[in-house]
Amino acid sequence: MTEPIFTDWRPELAEDWGRAPLCARHRLDRHPLFSFEALAALIEAYPRAHYALVHMGAQGGKREWREGELGGLTGAEVIEAIKAGRMWLNLRNISAVDARYRDVLDQIFEEVRRNVPGYTTHNRTSGLLISSPNAQVYYHCDLPGQSLWQIHGAKRVYVYPNRPPFLTPEQLETIALTEVEVNMAYDPAYDAHARVFEIGGGEMLHWPLNAPHRVENLECLNVSMTTEYWTEAIRRNQMVTMGNAILRTRLGLAPRSTATKGVRFWAKAALQAGVRRAGLLNAMRKAKRPIDFRLDPLRPGQIVDLARQPALLDAAE
Ligand SMILES: [Fe+2]
């Protein structure tokens, strides 16, 4: 039998799964698919359409994100650049891009299903995040069920309750409509209500649905994996959120019910399906950021502004 990925599963984890933030141990930090050599090879083969390289701007400066490309560096050089810079590389949907990582994801959720009776998941995805020392992920929440798997390095993760004032129904509706997850209002006073975890390689976190969270890398290169999934209950929650969002923004109503059964539920399910079919949501979703830099092959961690490229070409002619 394959060695389990969770290495210390215990009954309390089944009790807490989905109900409270929890930390469990795993062995992906020692798994050959997650060694730096394997990650470097993965980066080199990764399709352009499926990665995002984001630069965070100067420390202490304005919250300014730019999106760029790897610019022909080797995988090992990309990892060096991230270690020396202020950026992160998101290898999105790795489980769809590479079947070996799909197998890991399937094994994880098969173990969850065995350990948490009745916890059947579908539409599972995973992504790998390689991020610079001290990088941050701002306060936000996600719509699907989510877990964070630390592979290399260490980070501090703050997990907040999934109720007002930390998360309001209106905020959840806005995220469902716009797919922008990081514009949530954050108050440092919330931290007194957060569960704070410092996790290193071989530890993973899972939290209740939609629980807001934020992440601070410690002073080291970080490699982590996020896994996302849907259950029937989460899918129904999402349909209600979307239905309520449409009632509130399009029809000026103030929906109060979040029931996932009965007449009201099915009316909202039909309403949001109709709006989706009509393609009305796309108009509310933000355009993607332009690609405006590439990594500098000569100065690890630095970037080259793509907007200045024509001038460089002129000079070379
Ligand atoms: Fe998240």
Side-chain angles (χ1 to χ4, degrees), residues 26-40 79 82-83 101 128-133 148-156 199-204 215-225:
H26 65 85
R27 63 177 177 89
L28 294 184
D29 56 324
R30 292 172 276 125
H31 194 293
L33 281 177
F34 296 90
S35 69
F36 281 106
E37 294 72 34
L39 295 174
I79 293 171
I82 297 171
K83 196 172 173 181
Y101 294 87
L128 254 179
L129 201 69
I130 306 174
S131 52
S132 298
L148 177 65
W149 302 71
Q150 188 66 8
I151 315 273
H152 303 297
K155 53 185 25 141
R156 193 175 299 118
I199 52 170
E203 291 178 295
M204 67 82 72
V215 182
E216 296 169 350
N217 280 0
L218 302 191
E219 209 160 340
C220 51
L221 176 74
N222 267 250
V223 178
S224 51
M225 180 171 78

Side-chain angles (χ1 to χ4, degrees), residues 2-6 9 17 25-28 31 34 95 100-116 119 121 124-126 147-149 151 204-206 225-229:
T2 330
E3 195 189 337
I5 288 173
F6 286 99
W9 192 277
W17 188 267
R25 294 206 57 83
H26 65 85
R27 63 177 177 89
L28 294 184
H31 194 293
F34 296 90
S95 45
R100 297 170 303 162
Y101 294 87
R102 155 65 58 186
D103 292 344
V104 170
L105 182 65
D106 287 345
Q107 192 188 336
I108 285 171
F109 281 98
E110 179 52 28
E111 287 178 33
V112 170
R113 195 184 61 78
R114 270 205 310 269
N115 287 311
V116 187
Y119 210 85
T121 58
R124 305 187 287 239
T125 54
S126 57
S147 318
L148 177 65
W149 302 71
I151 315 273
M204 67 82 72
L205 299 176
H206 184 258
M225 180 171 78
T226 52
T227 52
E228 297 195 336
Y229 63 86

Side-chain angles (χ1 to χ4, degrees), residues 65 92 140-144 170-184 228 230 238 241-242 245 272 276 280-289:
W65 286 351
R92 284 191 298 248
H140 72 282
C141 85
D142 301 283
L143 300 175
E170 289 87 342
Q171 283 173 319
L172 203 54
E173 290 165 20
T174 304
I175 296 165
L177 279 179
T178 61
E179 291 187 333
V180 176
E181 290 150 353
V182 287
N183 285 340
M184 283 174 75
E228 297 195 336
W230 296 83
Q238 167 72 354
T241 300
M242 192 67 97
Q272 59 95 35
R276 274 175 198 277
L280 295 174
L281 291 176
N282 291 340
M284 298 182 215
R285 290 178 176 165
K286 258 186 158 174
K288 280 195 172 151
R289 272 186 291 265

Side-chain angles (χ1 to χ4, degrees), residues 140 142 146 207 213:
H140 72 282
D142 301 283
Q146 218 193 30
W207 47 75
H213 48 281

Side-chain angles (χ1 to χ4, degrees), residues 50 81 118 163 255 262 265 276 291 300:
H50 292 294
R163 55 178 160 78
F265 166 72
R276 274 175 198 277
I291 303 298

